[in-house]
């Protein structure tokens, strides 16, 4: 999950999500899916997990920053990962959107057992983690373990 998901603005949300599996599909299926989405139910299910089901056929350039970030997470979920690497997933978001994203990531960890490795410079975001490693000059300076974070309802 990127700080700013690399999703073309003119692309439809459904296509952006299905693009997550382009490298896993045969070439014919990848090309066909770019023309007509071949797994609409799969994309819909991923969007439901991030509370954006109504945006399935919206253009990505019509979404807010927080919604775009949730589309990026839905793209990852569509691939059924065991691990998510999140590089400053809240860096460009307001406080409310940041909480939404962190609540989603926390739920994925808690309910689906997906390991989340998150990089952030924000201490309030790092506080969501059950384990926090603080680094300086390439060295671990702190290793903080805490009880699982309680989901904050926006």
């Amino acid at each position: 999950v990127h700080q700013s998901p690399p999703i073309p603005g003119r692309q439809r949300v459904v296509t952006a999500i299905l693009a997550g599996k382009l490298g896993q599909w045969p070439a014919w299926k990848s090309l066909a899916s770019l023309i007509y989405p071949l797994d609409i139910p799969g994309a819909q299910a991923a969007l439901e997990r991030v509370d954006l089901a109504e945006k399935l056929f919206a253009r990505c350039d019509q979404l807010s920053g927080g919604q775009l970030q949730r589309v990026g997470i839905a793209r990852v979920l569509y691939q059924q990962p065991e691990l998510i690497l999140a590089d400053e997933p809240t860096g460009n978001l307001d406080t409310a959107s940041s909480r939404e994203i962190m609540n989603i990531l926390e739920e994925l960890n808690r309910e689906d057992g997906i390991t989340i490795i998150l990089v952030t410079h924000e201490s309030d975001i790092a506080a969501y983690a059950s384990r926090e490693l603080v680094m300086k000059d390439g060295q671990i300076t702190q290793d903080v373990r805490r009880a699982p974070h309680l989901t904050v309802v926006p």
Side-chain angles (χ1 to χ4, degrees):
V1 178
H2 298 272
Q3 183 174 2
S4 297
I7 298 173
R10 293 176 43 184
Q11 189 174 53
R12 300 264 176 221
V13 170
V14 63
T15 307
I17 292 169
L18 297 180
K21 282 202 176 173
L22 291 180
Q24 298 171 14
W25 288 342
W28 69 267
K29 187 173 184 178
S30 295
L31 290 172
S33 189
L34 291 173
I35 296 166
Y36 180 82
L38 296 181
D39 186 12
I40 292 172
Q44 182 79 29
L47 279 175
E48 286 172 4
R49 292 295 310 273
V50 297
D51 198 27
L52 275 182
E54 75 282 359
K55 300 292 186 182
L56 183 65
F57 292 105
R59 281 178 40 148
C60 292
D61 58 5
Q62 296 172 338
L63 303 178
S64 70
Q67 289 172 326
L68 253 180
Q69 192 66 302
R70 288 189 282 165
V71 168
I73 293 170
R75 177 192 284 192
V76 170
L77 290 177
Y78 182 65
Q79 299 173 59
Q80 301 176 318
E82 293 179 16
L83 168 73
I84 294 177
L85 302 175
D87 182 13
E88 298 203 49
T90 62
N92 291 334
L93 303 178
D94 60 43
T95 303
S97 295
S98 293
R99 273 196 302 257
E100 289 175 10
I101 296 303
M102 292 308 300
N103 288 339
I104 289 167
L105 292 175
E106 185 178 48
E107 178 182 312
L108 294 172
N109 173 256
R110 185 180 59 246
E111 294 182 10
D112 297 14
I114 298 172
T115 300
I116 312 286
I117 298 177
L118 184 133
V119 175
T120 186
H121 292 94
E122 302 172 62
S123 58
D124 59 323
I125 298 300
Y128 279 82
S130 57
R131 184 173 184 192
E132 177 183 355
L133 298 175
V134 179
M135 297 186 73
K136 184 172 183 176
D137 299 327
Q139 301 295 315
I140 296 174
T141 59
Q142 292 179 11
D143 184 350
V144 180
R145 294 172 193 260
R146 56 177 76 89
H149 190 272
L150 296 176
T151 301
V152 178
V153 178

